């Protein structure tokens, strides 16, 4: 038979086509079944993430609320002296915003670009109604700052709705009108440091969880049922207590007048006046987070270990391997899917933690999520929060990709 | 055995309890000679695996001694015992290829890469699996996995190999084929094999000797022929092969011939093998193929009246179920000979046997 | 639409109208929790509910205007009255997130002085009416025997030679940086001028550097009294009401150092689009009357925002021996060297200084 000839079904249609026809109906039904879920996931997950990403690069507050000045700023070169027209349009827009009670939004937006301009806008807007031409003169008279070029440059930058500025800020750089992107001076750099620290702390927490969780999961999987059930309850117990309570408990245990230090003093390991600082620093953050995230490591490990019959270890030993060697060469490789799943889970959760670091972190236990929360809740700079979140998400995706390349995503078992 | 020299494997007064309340193995005594193929046969839960695990070192004996090559091994950890083992579910390491599985025991023994390569190839050849070296166990069929497990247990040339129901997961045809192969390998290599199964035909075909287990006790330890022909108690008689049982009371004993009064009223003669003497109750064991069916009494045979209940034509013989002395499960295998007996369902007939073929054993209610 | 359904719709409309007037409103009043909310419940909520027939659901929050903004911008406003800090009130008002409050509708003082004259300067704003003056101070535990003299000044807080040990401070540039400058010798009247310059900021950080290794940073208002009680710190900055509560209600022997205190306001605001604006306004008017403000002061040591309330301040509700007037930030003995928080400065510089503060922390 000619190899190139397609195989045909009994009625002469090519087999491939026939198969596709036969599959079509069942595919249609399957699609129908997942449509609600798909819609739900799109609406509640994918769409908000896209919206968030979009917010990190797009902020039209200024363009929307200051339409007249926007026109002028577009044509302005950014370095020459601002013209009378620009001042006139500024006054017109300020009046309108004052009337609409939206001046606070404009002020906040420009203040993000140049600190100290918020009150400039709100106070001048209050007086805008009474200002007379020539506007340049009268505006500068209300506040000298209006004559400064950097205020106008800040407005020109905020006027740009689609902006890389927030991502630049997230990486400790600033966008300038005339020099492009410039790194901030050293003592103002914060976000890159926090990103690095977040990754390091999350990594340490992940490793500690693995170190502590592995033996526990092993016991869970191998102990007789009545003991393992008890142990399982102990593992799950933290889930039934609120995060805040658990964190506070760690404070009571680790603080310098706390249980651990008291014990160490009592034993004589340290003196009463040289107690260890175990909390309000990175140590405390790592300890508390490890405890809180431990179940997320133990459960996937347990679910993998549970499926490994004891006969593998026995086989290895009967073949001459010492218990250690059998464990390392035969048992551990089979738990890799659990290690991968637990590790990824803990790492990703750790990256997003902020309540615990806020309470026990002190000055060097601060994580990037604390800054995101700050910009979400306090400074209301949602665009910057979005940019920081976007970078974090990007980082996680890169790690995920790396994991896939090294270990393989299908080689992961969550439960 | 009883020749005074040390046997290769010796269980001496071994007892085992998991929970401290019940004995799973009760006072086990078993000697195995080098090169022997010994099978532990018994119903589920009778303690076979436990014995095997004690020998391999994964369970410790609660009492008694286990010796290997004349040395007590109670305190030697499993990996130093040098015993090959084939598990029921094969226990091939899923993350290693077939070759890696086979080289594992050689690597832990610190052999050179070249030697390892040689031995692995030879072991794969032995089970005709050479081309599968690079596959993962999950990519093999059940029978193929079985062969690899066998090759792995043998590749480091142990003197003793333990197999715990290695063929349990295979279908009948493959199982029979593998039985033959394992027996072959055993004969070629001359290793000592302790084999566990609860399939009696497997035990009969493969073994030099069979230890029949029940309830933690070896009921009988003998070669297949003896075991089949001369069961020493009712359990063995019933467990090995097909068997008819009649119960009664011993009226008199003359030499080793007992006169037994059956519960239905008749008296028969039987070979007294395992009885408590005159007046005691006994179970008589008669193999179906040792019975004859005849319309008339035949001289020299013990004969009882019976009624034919069912006939099944099986080609080489006819399986005839009868009601004899109140037992309506009495089976007779009638050879398919030229002179047909004209068997008919419902017909009254005599059934008879040689006195030597009717063994009076310990009483056991059926 | 058939005649019958028309009638039903009309009826439903009428009954809804009736309900809107006659049936009691359920007001959601949001505040900071703990002893502070309790003082409001006792002095405002209970009497108002008894008088108006409306009911109140009291909710806690952690400050900031994120939630108000989210509610207003999504059009789903569930909070009716919120207790906010001054800078937040101004900012939210500028962004159009709050209802305006007509000052002339606020109740006059008992002697007839109109509200606008009776309220302390700077306590009335377009969208907000202050109810209390609170203060950031620092505290020590006088029951713990130490070999030092009781601290007296803000400079003592920063003096690690004379007062070795850990100090608690709020993890925020606000107040912290002012404290640093005051301790460094800047007169309270010039603090914000100095802080408005680059050198001033450097100076504040330089002063903070001297104690950086000795600081335990707190974030929630309940933390500092706990830190002090546990002996984790020898001093801690704190909100004066929380400290008072620990002393009066929990028998702690905490002593406040009023030198260099920074006082601020808490104000009532009504999120724009509240479904119970009328009731909310009524509640604000009721609770900021002279008598109610004075009553609140017997539950917690925050000063009333009206001049006419001050003479009416009584004793602690639980202990007639404690004269509340002595514990107010505004009491003459406490007020000698006080600084009012400059909301405008912080509105302008909060984001920037916060970034620098965090960078400084991370160094
Ligand atoms: N780890 C254990 N803990 C407690 N009891 C056990 C354990 N292993 C086996 N037993 C008990 O010991 C008895 C003998 O078990 P064993 O596994 O030796 O039987 P077996 O003869 O191999 O049966 P099978 O043919 O079903 O494999 C059984 O009653 C079993 O319940
Ligand atoms: Mg078994």
């Amino acid at each position: 038979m000619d190899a190139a000839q397609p195989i045909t079904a009994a009625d002469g249609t090519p087999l491939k086509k026939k198969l596709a026809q036969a599959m079509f109906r069942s595919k249609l039904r399957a699609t129908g079944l997942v449509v609600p879920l798909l819609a739900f996931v799109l609406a509640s997950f994918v769409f908000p993430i896209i919206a968030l990403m979009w917010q990190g690069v797009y902020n039209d507050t200024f363009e929307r609320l200051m339409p007249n000045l926007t026109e002028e700023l577009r044509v302005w070169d950014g370095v020459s002296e601002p013209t009378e027209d620009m001042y006139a349009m500024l006054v017109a827009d300020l009046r309108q915003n004052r009337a609409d009670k939206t001046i606070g939004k404009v002020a906040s937006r420009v203040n993000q670009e140049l600190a100290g301009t918020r009150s400039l806008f709100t106070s001048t807007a209050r007086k805008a109604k009474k200002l007379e031409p020539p506007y340049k003169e009268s505006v500068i008279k209300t506040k000298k700052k209006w004559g400064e070029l950097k205020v106008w440059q800040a407005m020109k930058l905020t006027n740009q709705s689609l902006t890389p500025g927030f991502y630049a800020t997230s990486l400790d750089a600033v966008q300038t009108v005339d020099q492009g992107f410039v790194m901030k001076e050293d003592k103002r750099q914060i976000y890159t440091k926090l990103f690095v620290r977040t990754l390091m702390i999350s990594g340490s927490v992940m490793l500690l969880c693995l170190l502590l969780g592995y033996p526990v999961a092993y016991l869970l999987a191998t102990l007789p049922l009545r003991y393992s059930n008890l142990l399982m309850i102990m593992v799950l117990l933290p889930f039934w207590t609120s995060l805040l309570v658990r964190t506070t408990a760690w404070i009571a245990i680790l603080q310098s007048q706390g249980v651990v230090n008291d014990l160490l003093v009592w034993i004589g390991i340290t003196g009463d006046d040289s107690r260890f600082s175990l909390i309000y620093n990175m140590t405390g953050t790592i300890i508390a987070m490890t405890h809180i995230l431990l179940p997320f490591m133990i459960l996937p490990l347990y679910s993998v270990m549970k499926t490994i019959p004891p006969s593998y270890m026995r086989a290895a030993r009967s073949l001459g391997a010492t218990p250690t060697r059998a464990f390392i060469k035969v048992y551990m490789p089979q738990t890799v899917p659990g290690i991968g799943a637990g590790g990824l889970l803990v790492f990703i959760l750790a990256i997003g933690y902020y309540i615990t670091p806020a309470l026990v972190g002190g000055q060097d236990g601060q994580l990037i999520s604390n800054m995101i929360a700050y910009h979400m809740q306090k400074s209301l700079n949602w665009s910057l929060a979005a940019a920081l979140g976007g970078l974090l998400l990007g980082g996680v995706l890169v790690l995920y990709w790396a994991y896939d390349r090294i270990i393989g995503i299908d080689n992961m078992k969550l439960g | 055995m009883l020749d005074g020299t040390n046997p290769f494997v010796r269980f001496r007064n071994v007892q085992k309890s998991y929970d401290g309340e019940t004995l799973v193995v009760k006072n086990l005594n078993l000697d195995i000679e080098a090169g022997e193929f010994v099978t532990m046969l018994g119903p589920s839960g009778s303690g076979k695996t436990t014995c095997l695990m004690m020998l391999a070192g994964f369970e410790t004996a609660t009492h008694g001694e286990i010796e290997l090559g004349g040395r007590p091994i109670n305190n030697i950890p499993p990996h130093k015992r040098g015993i090959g083992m084939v598990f029921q579910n094969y226990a091939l390491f899923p993350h290693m290829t077939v070759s890696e599985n086979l080289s594992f025991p050689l690597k832990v023994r610190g052999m050179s890469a070249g030697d390892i390569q040689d031995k692995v190839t030879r072991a794969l050849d032995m089970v005709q699996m050479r081309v599968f070296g690079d596959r993962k166990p999950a990519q093999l069929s059940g029978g193929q996995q079985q062969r690899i497990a066998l090759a792995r247990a043998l590749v480091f040339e142990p003197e003793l190999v333990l197999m715990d129901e290695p063929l349990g997961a295979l279908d009948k045809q493959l199982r029979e084929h593998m039985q033959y192969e394992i027996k072959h390998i055993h004969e070629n290599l001359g290793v000592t094999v302790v084999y566990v199964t609860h399939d009696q035909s497997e035990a009969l075909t493969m073994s030099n000797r069979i230890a029949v287990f029940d309830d933690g006790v070896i009921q009988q330890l003998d070669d297949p022929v003896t075991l089949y022909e001369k069961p020493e108690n009712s359990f063995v008689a019933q467990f090995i092969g097909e068997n008819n049982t009649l119960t009664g009371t011993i009226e008199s004993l003359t030499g080793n011939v007992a006169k037994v009064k059956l519960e239905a009223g008749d008296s028969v003669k039987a070979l007294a093998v395992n009885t408590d003497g005159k007046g005691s109750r006994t179970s008589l064991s008669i193999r179906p193929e040792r019975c004859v069916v005849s319309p008339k009494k035949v001289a020299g045979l013990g004969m009882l009246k019976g009624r034919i209940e069912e006939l099944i034509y099986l080609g080489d013989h006819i399986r005839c179920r009868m009601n004899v002395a109140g037992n309506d499960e009495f089976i007779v295998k009638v050879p398919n000979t030229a002179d047909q007996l004209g068997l008919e369902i419902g017909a009254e007939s005599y059934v008879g046997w040689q006195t030597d073929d009717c063994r009076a054993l310990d009483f056991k209610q059926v | 639409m058939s005649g019958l359904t028309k009638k039903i719709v009309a009826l439903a409309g009428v009954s809804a109208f009736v309900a809107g007037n006659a049936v009691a409103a359920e007001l959601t009043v949001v505040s900071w929790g703990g002893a502070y909310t309790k003082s409001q419940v006792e002095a405002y909520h209970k009497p108002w509910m008894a008088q108006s027939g409306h009911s109140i659901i009291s909710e806690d929050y952690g400050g900031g205007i994120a939630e108000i903004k989210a509610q207003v911008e999504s059009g789903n406003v569930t909070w009716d009255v919120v207790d906010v800090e001054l800078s937040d009130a101004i900012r939210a008002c500028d962004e159009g997130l709050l209802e305006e409050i007509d000052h002339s509708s606020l109740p006059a003082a008992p002697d007839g002085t109109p509200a606008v004259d009776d309220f302390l300067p700077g306590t009335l704003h377009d969208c907000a009416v202050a109810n209390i003056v609170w203060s950031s101070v620092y505290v020590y535990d006088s029951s713990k025997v130490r070999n030092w003299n009781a601290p007296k000044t803000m400079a003592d807080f920063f003096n690690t030679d004379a007062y070795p040990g850990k100090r608690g401070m709020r993890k925020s540039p606000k107040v912290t940086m002012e404290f640093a400058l005051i301790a460094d010798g800047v007169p309270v009247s010039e603090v914000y001028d100095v802080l408005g310059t680059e050198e001033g900021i450097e100076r504040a950080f330089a002063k903070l550097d001297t104690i950086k290794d000795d600081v335990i940073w707190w974030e929630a208002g309940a933390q500092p009294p706990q830190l002090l009680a546990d002996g984790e710190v020898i001093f801690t900055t704190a909100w004066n009401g929380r400290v008072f509560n620990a002393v009066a209600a929990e028998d702690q022997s905490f002593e406040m150092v009023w030198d260099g205190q920074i006082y601020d306001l808490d104000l009532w605001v009504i999120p724009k689009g509240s479904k119970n604006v009328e009731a909310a306004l009524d509640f604000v008017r009721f609770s900021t009357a002279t008598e109610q403000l004075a009553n609140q002061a017997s539950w917690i040591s925050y000063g009333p925002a009206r001049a006419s309330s001050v003479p009416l301040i009584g004793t602690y509700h639980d202990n007639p021996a404690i004269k509340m007037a002595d514990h107010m930030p505004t009491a003459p003995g406490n007020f000698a060297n006080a600084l009012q928080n400059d909301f405008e400065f912080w509105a302008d510089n909060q984001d920037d200084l916060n970034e620098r503060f965090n960078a400084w922390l991370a160094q």
Side-chain angles (χ1 to χ4, degrees):
Chain A
M1 193 180 165
D2 185 359
Q5 191 76 30
I7 308 169
T8 57
D11 61 359
T13 44
L15 198 55
K16 271 216 166 118
K17 202 167 150 201
K18 194 78 184 160
L19 187 66
Q21 280 169 2
M23 298 294 280
F24 182 72
R25 285 179 76 89
S26 69
K27 269 189 189 155
L28 202 66
R29 197 170 321 126
T31 317
L33 285 172
V34 298
V35 159
L37 176 68
L38 213 63
F40 177 75
V41 168
L42 270 177
S44 65
F45 191 67
V46 178
F47 182 70
I49 285 187
I50 291 173
L52 174 92
M53 297 285 103
W54 182 234
Q55 196 155 31
V57 291
Y58 186 83
N59 188 325
D60 66 351
T61 311
F62 194 89
E63 190 180 7
R64 190 160 39 86
L65 298 174
M66 306 281 277
N68 298 311
L69 184 56
T70 294
E71 296 295 316
E72 293 292 327
L73 286 173
R74 283 235 172 88
V75 293
W76 180 52
D77 62 2
V79 285
S80 61
E81 188 67 20
T83 61
E84 168 66 17
D85 277 352
M86 289 163 71
Y87 281 95
M89 291 302 119
L90 172 71
V91 172
D93 282 339
L94 287 180
R95 280 177 186 155
Q96 189 57 43
N97 277 300
R98 170 73 182 158
D100 296 345
K101 297 199 115 258
T102 47
I103 186 63
K105 292 191 172 122
V106 179
S108 300
R109 176 67 187 100
V110 181
N111 199 60
Q112 286 163 6
E113 209 61 49
L114 181 65
T117 49
R118 163 184 279 282
S119 58
L120 191 65
F121 277 83
T122 51
S123 69
T124 309
R126 239 171 271 140
K127 297 170 196 149
K129 221 171 180 165
K130 301 200 188 85
L131 291 178
E132 311 254 336
Y135 287 115
K136 184 164 183 174
E137 199 171 303
S138 56
V139 166
I140 292 176
K141 218 161 95 191
T142 60
K143 286 249 177 184
K144 267 216 312 284
K145 217 169 178 175
W146 282 117
E148 291 175 22
L149 194 62
K150 62 178 186 195
V151 172
W152 290 89
Q153 288 178 334
M155 283 196 284
K156 188 168 169 65
L157 284 173
T158 45
N159 180 37
Q160 200 184 334
S161 291
L162 190 63
T163 170
F166 296 108
Y167 273 90
T169 310
S170 303
L171 294 168
D172 288 329
V174 278
Q175 194 189 6
T176 58
V177 173
D178 36 2
Q179 299 164 35
F181 296 96
V182 184
M183 281 313 276
K184 284 186 188 168
E185 53 182 320
D186 219 24
K187 61 176 178 250
R188 280 169 176 268
Q189 292 192 1
I190 172 75
Y191 299 116
T192 39
K193 255 180 215 155
L194 288 186
F195 272 118
V196 171
R197 180 188 291 164
T198 303
L199 292 185
M200 267 169 43
I201 289 191
S202 303
S204 327
V205 168
M206 181 183 80
L207 283 180
L208 276 175
C209 279
L210 184 61
L211 281 179
L212 296 173
Y214 202 93
V216 176
Y218 182 74
L219 279 182
L220 270 176
T222 50
L223 276 183
L225 207 58
R226 60 204 158 115
Y227 300 114
S228 66
N229 275 345
L230 197 72
L231 194 60
M232 186 57 121
I233 289 173
M234 277 159 63
V235 167
L236 293 178
L237 207 58
F239 274 142
W240 304 338
T241 350
S242 92
L243 180 64
L244 226 52
V245 170
R246 278 181 280 163
T247 307
T248 322
W250 275 114
I251 294 178
I253 293 170
L254 294 179
Q255 62 187 1
S256 67
Q257 305 294 325
V259 183
V260 170
N261 265 308
D262 283 349
L263 202 69
L264 292 178
V265 170
W266 186 72
I267 296 172
I269 291 179
T270 181
D272 201 10
D273 44 1
S274 58
R275 290 165 173 251
F276 293 105
S277 320
L278 299 173
I279 202 145
Y280 306 121
N281 54 24
M282 206 184 282
T283 317
T285 312
I286 291 178
I287 292 177
M289 281 175 70
T290 302
H291 168 242
I292 287 160
L293 292 174
L294 201 52
F296 295 98
M297 179 62 93
I298 293 178
L299 292 178
L301 276 176
Y302 166 72
S303 84
V304 168
M305 289 177 175
K306 195 76 193 162
T307 62
I308 301 176
S311 57
Y312 288 123
M313 281 288 275
R314 291 183 163 180
R317 298 202 53 202
S318 79
L319 295 172
T322 60
T324 326
R325 182 152 187 167
F327 193 80
I328 293 172
K329 291 279 177 193
V330 173
Y331 195 81
M332 295 228 299
Q334 295 187 61
T335 60
V336 164
I339 296 176
L344 214 58
L345 205 60
V346 166
F347 190 81
I348 288 175
L349 285 173
I351 272 183
Y353 253 57
Y354 69 95
I355 296 178
T356 305
L359 287 176
V360 304
Q363 62 186 43
D364 53 3
Q366 193 98 323
L367 302 186
I368 195 70
S369 345
N370 295 92
M371 291 314 289
I372 296 179
Y374 172 80
H375 287 302
M376 286 300 290
Q377 291 166 359
K378 296 279 156 58
S379 79
L380 300 185
N381 191 349
W382 290 357
S383 293
L384 182 54
L388 290 169
L391 282 178
L392 205 53
L393 182 63
V396 170
L397 288 181
V398 166
L399 285 171
Y400 194 75
W401 172 83
Y403 178 89
D404 188 30
R405 294 304 301 270
I406 298 165
I407 300 176
I409 225 68
D410 44 347
N411 201 354
M412 176 161 77
K413 192 159 179 292
L414 277 167
Chain B
M1 288 173 154
L2 299 173
D3 58 4
T5 60
N6 271 333
F8 184 53
V9 177
R10 162 172 271 180
F11 285 85
R12 252 199 348 223
N13 305 330
V14 171
Q15 294 184 332
K16 172 72 185 175
S17 169
Y18 285 105
D19 51 10
E21 284 165 14
T22 50
L23 282 175
V24 173
V25 174
K26 301 168 187 160
N27 206 32
L28 178 79
N29 284 292
L30 174 62
D31 292 346
I32 299 168
E33 292 302 321
E36 247 192 320
F37 193 120
V38 172
T39 298
M40 296 179 175
L41 175 69
S44 188
S46 57
K48 311 179 294 286
T49 300
T50 305
C51 286
L52 213 60
M53 288 301 161
M54 286 192 289
L55 185 51
F58 298 119
E59 297 289 352
T60 49
T62 315
H63 176 82
E65 289 269 329
I66 302 173
E67 287 169 16
L68 180 66
R71 282 186 310 151
I73 55 170
N74 285 25
N75 293 322
I76 298 179
H79 60 277
K80 292 198 180 137
R81 294 192 182 187
I83 298 176
M85 194 150 180
V86 181
F87 291 82
Q88 179 162 10
N89 57 6
Y90 316 140
L92 295 175
F93 308 140
H95 57 291
M96 298 182 189
T97 62
V98 164
S99 299
E100 285 166 347
N101 261 285
L102 259 60
S103 36
F104 183 84
L106 306 177
K107 271 197 193 130
V108 300
R109 285 175 171 75
M111 281 187 196
S112 72
D115 286 357
I116 291 178
Q117 186 59 45
D118 272 5
K119 284 185 190 257
V120 167
T121 316
R122 245 185 293 140
L124 283 175
D125 278 345
M126 178 180 74
V127 292
Q128 294 125 43
M129 290 288 291
R130 190 168 187 169
V131 290
F132 296 101
D134 291 331
R135 292 215 194 162
K136 289 274 175 73
Q139 296 163 322
L140 299 177
S141 74
Q144 290 167 336
Q145 291 183 31
Q146 215 293 319
R147 287 165 203 240
I148 301 301
L150 191 62
R152 189 179 65 177
L154 294 167
V155 69
F156 62 97
E157 292 160 13
E159 288 176 73
L160 175 62
V161 178
L162 312 181
M163 304 189 192
D164 190 358
E165 306 195 31
L167 307 180
L170 304 182
D171 64 46
K172 188 166 179 292
Q173 211 174 343
L174 192 54
R175 192 158 66 217
E176 280 165 7
H177 180 73
M178 287 305 298
Q179 285 168 8
Y180 168 78
E181 274 193 33
I182 291 175
K183 196 170 160 62
H184 228 74
I185 288 171
H186 167 248
E187 280 161 7
N188 288 346
L189 299 182
V191 293
T192 313
V193 177
V194 180
Y195 191 97
V196 164
T197 180
H198 53 228
D199 177 340
Q200 45 138 326
S201 75
E202 193 168 299
L204 291 174
T205 29
M206 299 176 77
S207 325
N208 298 125
R209 286 193 301 155
I210 299 170
V212 180
F213 271 69
D214 186 40
D215 199 20
V217 175
I218 294 183
Q219 302 287 339
Q220 186 171 349
L221 171 65
D222 263 314
D223 59 280
V225 176
T226 314
L227 206 61
Y228 186 85
E229 301 287 342
K230 297 182 175 140
E232 268 162 19
N233 58 40
S234 298
F235 175 81
V236 176
Q238 278 165 32
F239 194 74
I240 308 281
E242 225 173 351
N243 180 59
N244 294 310
T245 305
L246 299 170
T247 53
T249 313
I250 297 177
E251 282 181 327
S252 63
L253 260 172
T254 334
N256 58 3
V257 175
K259 196 163 170 229
V260 178
K261 187 168 171 64
L262 298 180
E263 264 142 35
D266 310 271
S267 284
V268 290
K269 281 187 185 162
L271 188 67
V273 180
N274 183 1
T275 67
D276 289 344
K278 194 175 166 219
S280 65
R281 303 192 72 191
T282 183
S283 290
L284 302 181
S285 152
I286 311 127
R287 296 283 179 204
E289 66 275 16
R290 295 295 168 91
C291 298
V292 285
V293 180
S294 159
K296 298 187 292 284
K297 279 200 176 189
V298 180
L301 294 182
M303 290 249 119
L304 286 175
K305 250 192 140 102
R307 200 165 63 96
I308 298 174
E309 300 280 346
E310 192 180 2
L311 291 168
I312 298 169
Y313 180 76
L314 286 167
D316 60 337
H317 71 272
I318 295 157
R319 198 177 156 83
C320 173
R321 182 164 69 82
M322 301 181 72
N323 187 331
V324 176
N327 178 357
D328 65 356
E329 290 291 334
F330 199 100
I331 307 291
V332 181
K333 285 183 185 166
V334 185
N336 191 354
T337 47
D339 53 331
Q340 281 298 336
L341 296 162
L343 299 172
E344 249 175 72
I345 293 177
E348 298 282 333
S349 186
Y350 284 98
V351 57
W353 50 79
Q354 299 275 347
T355 304
D356 278 359
D357 291 333
C358 176
R359 297 169 71 83
L361 305 171
D362 55 318
F363 176 73
K364 201 167 172 201
Q365 195 67 54
V366 273
Chain C
M1 197 189 271
S2 78
L4 185 63
T5 44
K6 234 180 226 166
K7 244 178 232 157
I8 291 174
V9 170
L11 265 178
V14 169
S15 64
F17 179 74
V18 170
N21 278 285
V23 174
E26 193 171 69
L27 217 55
T28 304
V29 177
V30 182
S31 189
W32 301 73
Y36 180 52
T37 291
K38 183 167 169 53
S39 74
Q40 293 177 327
V41 169
E42 296 294 338
Y44 308 159
H45 301 199
K46 285 184 181 170
W48 183 73
M49 287 192 281
Q51 187 215 52
S52 67
H54 297 311
S55 58
I56 289 181
I57 299 173
S58 178
E59 265 189 44
D60 294 348
Y61 84 133
I65 58 174
E67 180 70 29
I68 297 176
K69 189 175 157 101
Q71 288 188 12
V72 173
E73 290 186 349
S74 69
N76 179 22
V77 181
T78 56
W79 289 0
D80 298 308
V81 180
V82 188
D83 188 291
V84 300
E85 282 179 78
L86 183 54
S87 53
D88 287 337
I90 302 290
R91 179 166 180 186
C93 192
D94 281 341
E95 296 203 7
L97 300 174
L98 304 176
E99 298 282 350
E100 292 204 13
I101 300 174
D102 179 8
H103 298 165
S104 65
S105 74
L106 296 170
D111 64 1
T113 316
V116 280
D117 298 327
D118 189 29
F119 273 90
L120 300 176
T123 56
L124 289 181
H125 294 268
D126 289 352
C127 314
V129 179
N131 55 65
I132 55 134
V133 178
W134 58 276
S135 179
S136 297
V137 293
Y138 81 91
V139 211
Y140 62 95
D141 186 347
S142 62
S143 72
K144 301 237 158 70
V145 184
R146 318 247 190 216
N147 51 354
W148 34 251
N149 299 319
K152 296 251 173 327
T153 65
M154 190 51 72
D156 290 341
F157 185 88
F158 285 79
N159 185 345
T160 48
D161 293 334
Y163 303 95
K166 295 267 183 200
R167 288 123 162 84
M169 289 192 108
R170 189 178 182 189
K171 197 195 273 178
S172 154
K174 204 161 152 178
V175 172
T176 306
M177 301 197 63
E178 288 99 315
F179 276 165
L181 288 182
I182 295 171
D184 207 30
V186 178
V188 287
S189 57
E190 292 167 23
V191 166
Y192 285 107
D193 294 336
V194 174
L195 205 51
T197 63
E198 184 60 31
E199 300 78 61
I201 295 171
E202 297 283 340
R203 184 170 167 189
F205 278 127
K207 187 70 182 172
L208 286 170
D209 272 332
T210 63
I211 57 166
K212 189 175 181 185
D213 292 338
D214 292 314
V215 176
I216 290 179
W217 300 97
W218 55 266
E219 292 204 66
Q223 277 178 291
Q226 193 63 48
L227 286 172
L228 202 57
D230 289 349
E232 285 296 298
V233 293
I234 56 158
F235 299 152
T236 180
T237 64
W239 299 329
N240 74 302
R242 302 266 185 176
V243 180
F244 175 81
N245 193 61
V247 174
E250 289 158 26
D251 279 332
Q252 299 282 7
S253 41
F254 294 165
E255 292 284 343
M256 283 180 261
V257 177
W258 289 97
D259 178 65
Q261 63 151 308
I262 297 171
Y263 65 94
D264 201 345
L265 305 174
D266 265 7
L267 309 92
W268 286 132
V269 298
I270 302 170
K272 196 170 198 94
S274 152
K275 294 178 187 73
N276 304 302
V277 179
E278 282 312 315
L281 279 169
D282 189 58
F283 173 77
V284 170
R285 286 193 284 264
F286 176 85
S287 61
T288 56
T290 303
E291 189 196 342
Q292 270 63 251
L293 289 185
N295 282 348
Q296 189 197 8
S298 60
W299 289 87
I300 197 158
S301 66
Y302 291 138
R306 294 180 80 131
S308 62
S309 300
V310 175
L312 303 182
I313 295 174
T315 56
Y316 187 55
H317 70 98
D318 202 24
N319 182 355
I322 303 177
K323 285 213 184 64
M324 292 305 292
D326 300 342
H327 297 272
M328 296 296 160
T330 45
N334 303 338
F335 210 57
N337 191 28
L339 170 68
Q340 179 170 15
N341 188 290
D342 183 343
F343 70 87
E344 193 157 83
F345 175 85
W346 282 111
D348 277 345
N349 296 296
Q350 171 106 21
D351 295 351
D352 184 51
L353 285 182
N354 194 69
E355 213 168 277
R356 292 186 65 165
F357 181 75
N358 277 308
W360 172 78
L361 274 183
Q363 269 164 26

